[in-house]
Amino acid sequence: MEVRVQNIRKEFSRFPALNDVSLDIRSGELIALLGPSGSGKTTLLRLIAGLESPTDGTVYFGNEDASRKTVQQRNIGFVFQHYALFRHMTVLDNVSFGLTIRPASRRPAKAEIRKRALELLDLVQLTGLEKRYPAQLSGGQRQRVALARAMAVEPNVLLLDEPFGALDAQVRKELRRWLREIHDRTGHTTVFVTHDQDEALELADRVVVMSKGKIEQIGTPDEIYDTPNSPFVFGFIGQSNILPVKVENGQLVLDGQPIGVSAQGEKDGPAQLYFRPHDIELLDGASGISGTVTVTRRVAGTRHVELDVSAAKSKVEIELPPEKVTSDHSRLSFRPTRWKLFRETA
């Protein structure tokens, strides 16, 4: 099911939670709504679900205006962060619930409901646990039950609100991989909310980066990470460094000294240089950007080094091979190999 959000505005007590947001979600796509707290991502999810009504704008399911339809009329499958399972019901009854409460005209026979619920429990790898109660399951197992329950109604759209937020890091990682496999097998149009950039980049076909009630950028994980279109996206996705530079005659200059980076085609004047810690090369001598080592630490397969760049009155962090040993107060010179300039807007 294709979903289109068109010029949506949502106010709460005259506070704009969403401001003129438009988004096209393709049928069968897995979309991540990513952003910090207060960015509007959960409000957008709830508007798609029908749990909130827009102040202005329209939500389409296919070619049909669904803006005033209820959750049931939209046929939404919803998975919450804290499972929202019925504690007094068995796993099987929880998964079956959405089908058992349908009007008689649309309700499958009991045997068919049981068959579908057991098939879904097999899909989410919980076969044999159908007689247990939620309290007898781990957090990861409960979230699998919640997903099976959401899929039981054969939803037009599957919505997940911080689905792994209550789980520990290792379980989250396992469930991310598992959810992607489930999506590829079932083909549901799926939208999930997260503030975890690793989760969004690993899982989604496309990522929608949000800030202050607006969409900053929409793109594939590669596009979002490699070609961020604003200082916010560059700073929010992955690690980044920022240095104040000037463009002079097609060269980047820091504190009056060229840093060996060509900026042909960029207009002269002050700018902010953004680059990632791993997108650098070390240089011999005093050319490039020079700094004094203040902290060095081993992180998995790399060495993270913090430098005090006195020329910019700034600190930056770079990544080096683990065999490159540095000591505090030693000097290093480097230059960015991939970078982007942003300028202040009036």
Side-chain angles (χ1 to χ4, degrees):
M1 172 69 71
E2 180 187 11
V3 178
R4 287 186 295 124
V5 175
Q6 188 169 301
N7 304 116
I8 284 287
R9 184 169 62 88
K10 178 62 179 177
E11 294 182 356
F12 293 103
S13 301
R14 302 187 71 178
F15 172 77
L18 291 174
N19 188 9
D20 195 26
V21 169
S22 294
L23 173 64
D24 289 351
I25 302 169
R26 302 161 191 149
S27 182
E29 189 172 31
L30 180 58
I31 282 273
L33 304 181
L34 174 67
S37 297
S39 60
K41 56 189 187 297
T42 293
T43 300
L44 179 54
L45 191 80
R46 291 174 63 85
L47 282 161
I48 294 171
L51 295 170
E52 301 284 354
S53 296
T55 305
D56 284 312
T58 312
V59 178
Y60 291 95
F61 276 36
N63 294 320
E64 189 174 0
D65 184 350
S67 304
R68 304 301 168 190
K69 289 190 172 186
T70 65
V71 178
Q72 291 76 19
Q73 289 170 330
R74 297 183 196 198
N75 193 28
I76 294 294
F78 213 118
V79 180
F80 299 91
Q81 177 176 338
H82 294 287
Y83 325 124
L85 299 178
F86 299 111
R87 291 178 292 176
H88 65 287
M89 290 185 182
T90 65
V91 166
L92 185 66
D93 289 341
N94 264 285
V95 175
S96 304
F97 180 75
L99 294 174
T100 59
I101 63 170
R102 278 184 174 175
S105 61
R106 296 177 51 236
R107 188 188 315 145
K110 283 186 177 181
E112 180 59 30
I113 292 175
R114 176 181 172 82
K115 179 174 179 288
R116 175 152 181 77
L118 289 173
E119 287 174 348
L120 284 167
L121 287 174
D122 181 54
L123 180 66
V124 300
Q125 301 168 358
L126 291 178
T127 298
L129 302 185
E130 58 270 15
K131 294 182 180 180
R132 292 194 185 181
Y133 289 86
Q136 297 172 303
L137 303 176
S138 68
Q141 289 172 330
R142 289 177 202 170
Q143 200 57 296
R144 290 173 188 243
V145 175
L147 183 62
R149 182 180 63 182
M151 292 191 296
V153 297
E154 297 181 320
N156 289 326
V157 182
L158 186 61
L159 305 176
L160 303 95
D161 189 7
E162 298 274 9
F164 309 135
L167 305 172
D168 64 52
Q170 186 58 40
V171 175
R172 287 179 72 136
K173 193 169 182 64
E174 292 172 0
L175 284 187
R176 287 205 298 258
R177 184 165 51 247
W178 168 81
L179 178 60
R180 182 70 231 194
E181 292 173 356
I182 292 288
H183 175 268
D184 290 342
R185 290 172 64 180
T186 60
H188 288 298
T189 302
T190 304
V191 185
F192 75 98
V193 161
T194 183
H195 64 270
D196 185 327
Q197 55 182 272
D198 290 340
E199 198 162 274
L201 295 175
E202 182 178 337
L203 263 176
D205 296 316
R206 286 191 300 155
V207 179
V208 180
V209 183
M210 300 187 67
S211 174
K212 298 179 180 178
K214 293 186 176 182
I215 292 175
E216 289 275 344
Q217 186 171 353
I218 305 171
T220 65
D222 284 345
E223 290 167 346
I224 294 292
Y225 189 86
D226 293 333
T227 56
N229 66 358
S230 70
F232 173 81
V233 177
F234 208 124
F236 186 70
I237 303 294
Q239 292 180 284
S240 61
N241 296 300
I242 310 170
L243 288 174
V245 297
K246 287 184 178 179
V247 181
E248 294 182 1
N249 300 318
Q251 294 291 317
L252 295 187
V253 174
L254 177 64
D255 195 32
Q257 297 296 318
I259 62 173
V261 175
S262 174
Q264 294 295 328
E266 294 282 351
K267 67 179 181 179
D268 285 1
Q272 298 288 315
L273 173 66
Y274 280 69
F275 62 96
R276 301 202 185 278
H278 53 82
D279 288 333
I280 62 103
E281 63 175 345
L282 290 180
L283 301 172
D284 293 327
S287 60
I289 301 169
S290 296
T292 302
V293 175
T294 57
V295 177
T296 178
R297 61 189 183 277
R298 175 69 181 266
V299 181
T302 63
R303 190 171 301 281
H304 290 211
V305 178
E306 187 177 285
L307 299 176
D308 183 356
V309 181
S310 57
K313 299 179 181 178
S314 301
K315 291 186 182 294
V316 301
E317 184 172 291
I318 61 175
E319 292 182 16
L320 303 177
E323 63 272 12
K324 178 68 177 179
V325 179
T326 60
S327 58
D328 290 358
H329 309 300
S330 61
R331 297 281 292 178
L332 288 178
S333 294
F334 70 93
R335 69 180 168 206
T337 54
R338 295 183 65 172
W339 47 272
K340 189 153 186 175
L341 293 180
F342 292 106
R343 301 175 191 262
E344 291 187 8
T345 55

